[in-house]
Each structure stands twice: as C-alpha cells, then as structure tokens.
Amino acid sequence: MFHGQEAMDSSLPAAHHVLSNRTKTSALTDDVYTATKSFCRSGAGGRGEVSDKAGGKMVDNFKYKPGGNMPKKIWLGNSDPGDGFEGSSVVLYVDLALDSLLHLHERSKWTAPNGAQGDPTKGSDRPKTQAKRSWTTAPTRIPVPRGTVVKRKRGGALLADLTHPGESVVVARGGKGGMGVTRPTREDNARLQTRKRRFLTEADTAVSEYIVEDDDWKAEAAGAPGEEVSLHLMLRVVADVGIVGFPNAGKSSLLAAITRASPEVAPYPFTTVTPNLGVTQIGNNAEAGRMVLADLPGLIQGAHQGRGLGRMFLRHLRRTRIILHVVDAATDDPAMDYWAVREELRMYNPEYCARPHIVALNKMDLQEAAHLQAEIAAEVLTMAHRIQNDSPEGNPQPSLPAAVVCVSAQAGTGLDDLHAALEPLLPAPSTAIQASASSSTGDGWG
C-alpha cells in the first residue's frame, strides 16, 4: 500500500525527519487557528442611589405673585432614588469577516465594564423622572468566525454552536443593578431598635419571639457581582463540500481552479495547515444559490489516532454534506490511496463514509495517468464496492461514489464535469436549513 513511501523513507531518512517536523508544526498551527481558550468576566451591577428621607431644599415658587396668598419659597423634597445599571454582559457573535480564531490568542481574557451608579449626576446622566427605570450597560461583544463551537472549559458543557450569520450567545450575564433606597433617619433607627426589643413570652416556656423588620438597606443598594466563565472555543468549517485526500494530491490547486479562492500551493506535503474556503455558483441562474467548498489539511495514515493534523483535521468534516475525494492518479496505486482515506474516515466516524461522495482523479495532465484513466476509474469503483461489502455490522453502510471524474487542476480539464457531478448532490434550500440545524447536535465524534 505504502511501498513507495517506505522506499523513500529508507533512502532519505533526513527528508523523513523534516516531514515529521513539518507535520508537528502543521498540527500546532492548525490548533492556533481553529481552537483557543478564553476567560470572560461580566460587569457587576451598579450601586443604587441612596437618598436621605428628609432631604430636599427650598426653591422659588414660580406661582408666587406679589400681594397674593402663595408663598415665595416652597420645600422641594427628594424624588425616588434611582436604581443602578446592570453590568455589561459578554456576548459572542458571528462575524463573516473572520475565518479563524487567531485574534483570540492575542487576547485570552475579557473583562466587561461594571454598571453605572444610580446617582444621575455621577452615573446614568438620566433625569430623576427616569431614574426608576432598569437601565442596562452596552454588552461587550466578541467576534468569532462562523462555525464556532462554544463549550465550558470545565466539564465541557455545550453553550452554543454558532453556524448562522449574526447569531450570538451570552456567555456571561452582567450583574443586576442595586435598588434605589432611602437612608433611614436617626428616629427610624430608634424605632427599629425598640421593635426588636419587643417580645412575647409564654408562661410555661422560655421561648421568646422577636418582631424583626428588614433593615438591610445597604445590601439592597449594592449591585450583584458579574459572572466568570472559562471557555473552550473550537472552529468547525461550515461548507457544502469537504475536499479530502493525501498530502500533495492537488486539493488546494483544485479548489483554486473551481472557485476564486487563493490557497497556498507548493510542491511539498502539508502545504495547507488550516481550512480554506471557496465559493462557486450553482448553475447559470444566480437565484439557484452558491456552493461552498472547503479544502481541508492533508490526511495521512493514522489520522484518526491523532497523527499529522489528526482530529483537528477530521472534525472539520462534521458539517459538510458532500465529500470530494481527491486522488493523485499518478501514484503507484490510486485505488489503495482511495481505500486508505476512506478507512481513516470510517475509523474516526463511520457516518462520514455514509455521506454522498465523488472521486476526482487529479493530475490527468501527466502522461503516466492519462493513458490509464479508464483502468484507474474502474479500480476505484471496484474498491468502493469492496469497502461497502466489508463494512462492519452496526456501522452505517458506506456509500458508493456518485461519480468518478478525471480532472487536471493544473491544465483545467474536467472541471465542468466535476461541477456538474456535484450539483445534483446538493440539497434543496429548505432541506439545507434543516441539515444545518441538525448538525449542531453532537454525534459523539469530533
């Protein structure tokens, strides 16, 4: 199966060492782009206004007229004390301009501002007539890319799966503002102490019952503290088609040829270290919609166990509806390469193999592949039937290729046939919405 690679490894041990180091570096880089941990603290509620019961001042009486019976000055008492503002909440929202979580590595701690005090002259700047309303502080909004999964760091509880543009979730809610209270006078405190000393004593018992009133006005005026939460954020690509295959099979070149994407292309393995997205039009009618393709990092044997990009790569297939297998037709055994990739998908999540898929035999511009394209396509179909027949009991039945298309990303041949083969597999708009909603639930993998 991998005799060509083994021969290269035995003859070029230094090259194998460089490739292994690049694999480790790629896995680390992908984790930087698609996973992060953040600590969020919402703001505490503002303190409520505390006013004096006998407070007030003498003001001019605008109804006073000389010679009349109206007083020139009148007493204007304090208005009802104002409540404190609610603290700022921490909100995660989908920003379509982002395609990675790299910006959150630069800032891992987010602290929202506290709510303003209830005093209109110092905090809310609101007139006294509006001070009793419940004022809130603007939330602290953190942008994340589409497809971000939000979990608690401790326990791993799922908080949100942000898959739609503009979708948001409150991860830490701001504390409630304190109530506006009136400070008791000295006479009020004396009467309260007198009530506390009153008791009823029964003749045959020594039990005393106190009449107690709630005098905790300071606690009522204090705002509630904010919430603290540690989050684990993970990005799962949201795409219609997921492009998979061995490293250097031409996946990025094929994405660039089908769409207007500009992924990095180089003649060495593991060029792609983070998913690349491309969009293409469905059919000739603009109202038919668009098809999103995701070029995922290269897959190697043992990826389901964490080798190479491992699980960080395979989890990106979670939301794809169609899988496009890109096979290098110029290798010694393309059918075995196709089997190896299908086997890695099955061992990671058997449901992946049950999804519709298409095989693209790439590099048909090379002479060694062009002369054998019919034989190679027949061998791939034979291998697909073998995989379906040898499927373990209890697993979803693997699907057969909807089409085997011979293409050349370099020469641009066969791309129309590949596009025509993908379009019938796309679900209707209403079905796509239901599928996107169902993909938010966990299936036990990735």
Side-chain angles (χ1 to χ4, degrees):
M1 171 181 170
F2 297 99
H3 56 275
Q5 182 179 351
E6 292 171 359
M8 180 187 69
D9 294 343
S10 60
S11 60
L12 297 174
H16 173 72
H17 179 69
V18 173
L19 180 60
S20 300
N21 289 339
R22 179 165 178 80
T23 304
K24 296 177 182 178
T25 304
S26 301
L28 180 61
T29 304
D30 184 73
D31 185 60
V32 170
Y33 280 90
T34 62
T36 186
K37 297 177 181 178
S38 298
F39 174 79
C40 301
R41 179 189 289 119
S42 62
R47 181 178 177 83
E49 183 184 3
V50 180
S51 63
D52 295 328
K53 185 175 182 180
K57 59 182 179 179
M58 297 295 297
V59 297
D60 294 333
N61 185 3
F62 67 92
K63 295 183 179 180
Y64 167 75
K65 292 182 180 180
N69 57 356
M70 299 290 294
K72 188 175 182 179
K73 297 282 187 178
I74 59 175
W75 176 258
L76 179 63
N78 290 338
S79 61
D80 294 335
D83 298 337
F85 278 40
E86 294 182 4
S88 176
S89 300
V90 181
V91 178
L92 301 182
Y93 73 97
V94 175
D95 187 354
L96 296 180
L98 299 176
D99 57 2
S100 71
L101 297 172
L102 184 61
H103 65 289
L104 295 182
H105 284 269
E106 301 173 356
R107 179 181 177 183
S108 60
K109 185 176 181 180
W110 298 80
T111 302
N114 298 331
Q117 308 298 327
D119 187 354
T121 62
K122 297 181 180 180
S124 64
D125 294 331
R126 303 288 180 178
K128 286 274 188 173
T129 55
Q130 300 180 2
K132 293 297 292 183
R133 291 178 56 182
S134 177
W135 297 103
T136 59
T137 308
T140 301
R141 294 168 56 84
I142 305 175
V144 295
R146 184 184 179 192
T148 301
V149 179
V150 185
K151 294 183 178 181
R152 289 186 179 273
K153 182 180 177 181
R154 179 177 296 180
L158 179 64
L159 299 180
D161 195 355
L162 306 176
T163 58
H164 301 288
E167 190 175 2
S168 63
V169 59
V170 179
V171 295
R173 193 170 298 278
K176 186 178 180 181
M179 297 177 57
V181 297
T182 301
R183 181 186 294 108
T185 61
R186 181 176 301 179
E187 291 76 10
D188 292 335
N189 291 331
R191 284 193 296 268
L192 183 60
Q193 295 299 327
T194 302
R195 293 192 186 100
K196 285 185 176 182
R197 287 192 292 267
R198 294 174 53 192
F199 59 91
L200 301 175
T201 305
E202 298 182 3
D204 55 346
T205 64
V207 178
S208 300
E209 178 181 355
Y210 289 86
I211 301 177
V212 181
E213 289 188 3
D214 182 15
D215 62 333
D216 195 11
W217 57 273
K218 293 183 179 180
E220 294 178 354
E227 298 178 350
E228 296 182 356
V229 60
S230 295
L231 302 176
H232 180 211
L233 305 181
M234 181 172 58
L235 177 61
R236 295 192 185 124
V237 171
V238 180
D240 299 306
V241 182
I243 305 177
V244 301
F246 277 171
N248 211 27
K251 301 182 299 297
S252 299
S253 300
L254 188 60
L255 178 70
I258 297 176
T259 68
R260 295 183 178 180
S262 300
E264 181 182 359
V265 179
Y268 51 78
F270 298 105
T271 305
T272 302
V273 296
T274 185
N276 297 311
L277 297 180
V279 181
T280 183
Q281 186 69 36
I282 300 177
N284 298 325
N285 187 2
E287 298 180 357
R290 302 183 303 171
M291 176 171 53
V292 181
L293 296 89
D295 166 30
L296 304 178
L299 182 64
I300 64 175
Q301 190 179 25
H304 69 282
Q305 297 176 341
R307 288 193 60 192
L309 300 186
R311 292 179 177 272
M312 290 182 292
F313 152 72
L314 289 170
R315 71 163 182 259
H316 293 301
L317 288 177
R318 182 74 166 270
R319 296 192 178 98
T320 57
R321 306 183 184 99
I322 306 170
I323 297 179
L324 175 60
H325 286 269
V326 179
V327 179
D328 186 353
T331 59
D332 295 336
D333 198 343
M336 289 302 294
D337 292 347
Y338 165 74
W339 173 87
V341 174
R342 297 290 288 177
E343 184 68 7
E344 290 298 327
L345 297 182
R346 181 192 68 81
M347 297 181 71
Y348 180 78
N349 185 351
E351 190 271 334
Y352 288 169
C353 292
R355 297 180 184 179
H357 74 282
I358 290 178
V359 180
L361 300 177
N362 195 19
K363 301 186 180 180
M364 281 297 173
D365 56 302
L366 301 179
Q367 185 176 1
E368 56 267 29
H371 293 315
L372 301 174
Q373 59 179 344
E375 291 81 354
I376 295 174
E379 292 176 359
V380 170
L381 286 175
T382 302
M383 183 61 70
H385 283 88
R386 175 184 167 186
I387 294 174
Q388 189 179 67
N389 295 332
D390 296 343
S391 176
E393 295 184 1
N395 287 351
Q397 186 179 26
S399 62
L400 296 176
V404 179
V405 186
C406 298
V407 300
S408 173
Q410 183 70 23
T413 59
L415 300 181
D416 293 338
D417 296 336
L418 179 59
H419 202 282
L422 288 171
E423 287 184 8
L425 301 181
L426 293 174
S430 59
T431 309
I433 295 176
Q434 297 176 0
S436 177
S438 63
S439 66
S440 299
T441 59
D443 57 8
W445 288 278

